[in-house]
Amino acid sequence: MGRNTRKRRSSMASKAIAASAALALGGGGLIWANFYASAHESNNSNSWSQNQTKAAAAQVATISCPDVGQKLTNVPQAARNGVATELANLDKQITEAYARLASTRQAQAGDAGFVQNAIVGPLKEKRAATIDRIRIDVQRVGGQFNTSLSQLAACTTQNAQTNAGNAGGQQNNGGQQQNGGQQAGGQQQGGQQNNGGQQQNGGQQAGGQQQGNGGQGGNGPVAADFVDITKVQANAQLGVGANGLPANGNSGSRGSFTTKCGTNANKNHNTDNVIVAPGVANGAHHLHDYVGNQSNDAFASDQELEAAQTSCQNQGDKSSYFWPVLRLQNGTQDFDQNADGGGKEGNVGKILQASQAQIKFVGNKKGNVVAMPNALRIITGDAKAFVNGNANANVNWSCTGFENKVQLHDKYPICPQGSQVVRTTDFQSCWDGQNADSANHRTHVSFVQADGTCANGFKAIPQLQVRLVYNVPAPKLQNGTVVNPYAVDSFPENLHKPVTDHNDFINFFSQNTMNQMVNCINTGKKCQ
């Protein structure tokens, strides 16, 4: 028989872990941490086992629910407003369930079935009723509803060990397989994404959540979400764009059009999302930076957006460009500390204004581009990628001086002194030629194929490229924790993972300015 080499943890070590857990979860975590410590201090093996079960139950870190919105591809126009409202209700239900998950650690530690019975089960019932209302909305106007969508009501949980191990690391291939894999998949050099391996997750107790140190109060990020970029193997190729696609080369439409719209110095923020949740306040559950169009909120009509003021120097560009804010988690409280979408939903810390916001449109390497239609909406990336998976993820993190060497997709970079954090997003550049939007806000556009052409009869349009640069004090990794981290705002159940970064665009170029853009790109000029 083999020897049993398991050693009983000392009382002092148990209390240290308990203290770590308490920091990770706030007041509720303190109570749970005491359960965790007592599990290791008991001399009764049966009591030890029971308490281990209780502690394991308490380590549920987040809730994962199927994304109904991405499955809705044939919603009649007359039903879209009602459906959007119900989809926003689904997001609200998940947010509320996650909040309950985070605030009931004592009950979870005392009852291994608590999460399922008191949180996940009732959530399924609410989601089922909401999905049925979506069915009614669709069928009321003569549309067809796929009854299999009712099966998406059930949610699952992800535990601490799973989350600590993933650390947002669902991006094993760079995650750039948007729209059914129409993008040149696997070109993110994702096989080299072993950069998180330097973090051992030591001390990431209590759901894998970050301990104090000015972090998100138990809602992420964690040490394993960060990597010293100087220690990452080069994975970017010269002549390849940040999204892994071949850059605009020596053929096709080689020009570019740059628009200067500022860095949101006037602090135009809200937690709405007029694309995904029109008419719903706080539909994003996180804060956005807005540049360009100055009237973008959940209730803005296309007519109001078209007539709005713009921060762009070229007054022919009233387009809306928006992305989640970046925050420094150093204990600073910003204006929304007690607001929906802000501190109430785990988005805390000092909001950082970009030092640069470069907005450029480029061409297609195989041929000319056509004008984008008025009010064209494009979402790139996925704010829920940590729980949704990689299908729509499109994330690129780097540092100035490293962009041609390293592009990270599931890690936040720690940049060396004198280098700045960079977020780069290359948008979909193929359009179906008919629709300015689609039911799931994705299928009317796609990425080019590996050879640069558009599939399925789609037309090449100017590709939007957004590059954001930030002066961020470098976080420090100490004993498996991260001190003064930074993170993008996210839906709370996505734990502020770097893979959830995303970007949004609504086209409101005047027809004259759009024609100028297309001409510049197709004739090889560099215009601004």
Side-chain angles (χ1 to χ4, degrees):
M1 294 179 63
R3 293 175 56 200
N4 184 352
T5 58
R6 177 182 294 172
K7 296 182 179 179
R8 194 164 140 251
R9 192 182 301 271
S10 71
S11 175
M12 184 66 71
S14 297
K15 290 179 179 177
I17 291 175
S20 298
L23 285 172
L25 294 170
L30 177 60
I31 300 171
W32 175 78
N34 288 334
F35 274 100
Y36 192 89
S38 67
H40 294 82
E41 292 175 356
S42 172
N43 292 320
N44 184 299
S45 60
N46 185 52
S47 173
W48 185 90
S49 176
Q50 291 174 351
N51 281 314
Q52 278 287 88
T53 301
K54 293 175 182 178
Q59 288 191 45
V60 172
T62 194
I63 296 172
S64 176
C65 300
D67 195 330
V68 177
Q70 293 189 19
K71 302 293 185 181
L72 291 171
T73 57
N74 295 301
V75 178
Q77 191 68 43
R80 288 191 181 177
N81 284 343
V83 169
T85 298
E86 296 302 343
L87 291 174
N89 283 336
L90 290 175
D91 285 337
K92 184 178 180 181
Q93 290 161 6
I94 299 171
T95 296
E96 291 172 344
Y98 176 80
R100 182 160 169 74
L101 177 72
S103 65
T104 57
R105 296 298 181 182
Q106 178 185 12
Q108 294 169 43
D111 179 1
F114 181 88
V115 173
Q116 182 62 41
N117 297 331
I119 300 177
V120 177
L123 176 60
K124 177 181 178 181
E125 294 177 4
K126 291 179 181 179
R127 284 171 57 84
T130 305
I131 293 171
D132 195 54
R133 289 195 297 271
I134 293 174
R135 175 190 64 77
I136 293 170
D137 285 341
V138 170
Q139 292 180 342
R140 182 183 291 131
V141 297
Q144 298 295 315
F145 182 81
N146 184 350
T147 56
S148 67
L149 295 181
S150 299
Q151 299 174 10
L152 302 181
C155 300
T156 59
T157 59
Q158 294 182 13
N159 64 26
Q161 186 173 4
T162 299
N163 271 310
N166 283 347
Q170 300 181 22
Q171 290 279 85
N172 293 327
N173 64 353
Q176 301 297 322
Q177 296 289 340
Q178 282 90 344
N179 297 322
Q182 292 182 24
Q183 183 177 352
Q187 299 196 23
Q188 285 281 24
Q189 293 79 47
Q192 300 178 31
Q193 291 295 328
N194 59 355
N195 35 51
Q198 292 133 356
Q199 309 306 327
Q200 299 302 316
N201 298 331
Q204 309 242 353
Q205 314 300 333
Q209 300 307 296
Q210 175 60 37
Q211 301 170 19
N213 302 323
Q216 291 278 14
N219 190 232
V222 295
D225 293 326
F226 292 84
V227 64
D228 181 343
I229 199 166
T230 66
K231 298 179 181 179
V232 179
Q233 182 180 358
N235 63 0
Q237 295 179 356
L238 293 177
V240 174
N243 67 355
L245 297 175
N248 199 19
N250 296 321
S251 60
S253 42
R254 299 170 55 195
S256 64
F257 184 95
T258 300
T259 182
K260 297 180 179 179
C261 301
T263 58
N264 198 24
N266 61 328
K267 302 186 185 302
N268 184 3
H269 297 120
N270 65 49
T271 62
D272 299 343
N273 191 327
V274 71
I275 298 179
V276 174
V280 178
N282 191 37
H285 296 273
H286 55 264
L287 197 69
H288 286 129
D289 269 320
Y290 290 88
V291 301
N293 199 288
Q294 295 297 289
S295 294
N296 189 337
D297 63 27
F299 306 96
S301 67
D302 285 355
Q303 292 74 25
E304 290 169 326
L305 291 170
E306 194 164 26
Q309 298 296 310
T310 178
S311 68
C312 300
Q313 291 182 11
N314 187 332
Q315 294 295 295
D317 181 9
K318 295 187 177 182
S319 300
S320 185
Y321 309 89
F322 56 108
W323 49 79
V325 300
L326 194 69
R327 297 186 194 246
L328 178 63
Q329 273 88 69
N330 62 352
T332 300
Q333 295 186 359
D334 219 305
F335 77 94
D336 60 347
Q337 174 66 24
N338 298 311
D340 289 339
K344 280 187 177 181
E345 298 183 58
N347 294 306
V348 300
K350 179 182 179 181
I351 297 168
L352 298 173
Q353 181 184 329
S355 60
Q356 300 177 49
Q358 300 171 357
I359 298 173
K360 182 168 70 171
F361 295 84
V362 300
N364 178 278
K365 77 169 190 172
K366 281 295 188 178
N368 287 347
V369 298
V370 302
M372 293 183 285
N374 195 50
L376 175 69
R377 286 152 160 79
I378 307 180
I379 298 172
T380 197
D382 184 359
K384 306 173 185 176
F386 183 62
V387 295
N388 277 352
N390 300 334
N392 293 303
N394 183 18
V395 175
N396 305 285
W397 294 92
S398 192
C399 301
T400 55
F402 291 82
E403 293 170 81
N404 289 332
K405 303 173 186 176
V406 178
Q407 291 290 333
L408 304 173
H409 315 299
D410 60 358
K411 302 284 181 252
Y412 293 118
I414 298 177
C415 303
Q417 186 174 3
S419 178
Q420 298 174 292
V421 171
V422 183
R423 300 161 69 183
T424 306
T425 309
D426 294 349
F427 280 65
Q428 299 91 313
S429 59
C430 295
W431 168 54
D432 69 6
Q434 299 179 12
N435 301 294
D437 199 3
S438 51
N440 63 359
H441 314 294
R442 295 192 183 272
T443 52
H444 63 298
V445 290
S446 68
F447 284 92
V448 297
Q449 300 180 106
D451 63 358
T453 61
C454 293
N456 303 321
F458 280 34
K459 303 176 184 296
I461 56 174
Q463 183 187 45
L464 171 59
Q465 299 180 339
V466 178
R467 178 176 177 267
L468 305 173
V469 182
Y470 295 84
N471 291 312
V472 180
K476 292 181 173 58
L477 300 177
Q478 297 178 350
N479 300 320
T481 65
V482 56
V483 180
N484 292 342
Y486 65 92
V488 292
D489 268 19
S490 74
F491 286 89
E493 73 278 3
N494 279 268
L495 306 182
H496 297 92
K497 298 298 182 182
V499 71
T500 64
D501 198 10
H502 56 284
N503 216 309
D504 303 80
F505 166 69
I506 308 176
N507 170 45
F508 282 106
F509 278 91
S510 69
Q511 192 60 56
N512 182 53
T513 307
M514 176 58 65
N515 290 341
Q516 291 177 5
M517 178 197 297
V518 170
N519 180 65
C520 286
I521 290 173
N522 287 340
T523 58
K525 299 176 183 176
K526 298 187 186 304
C527 303
Q528 56 184 6

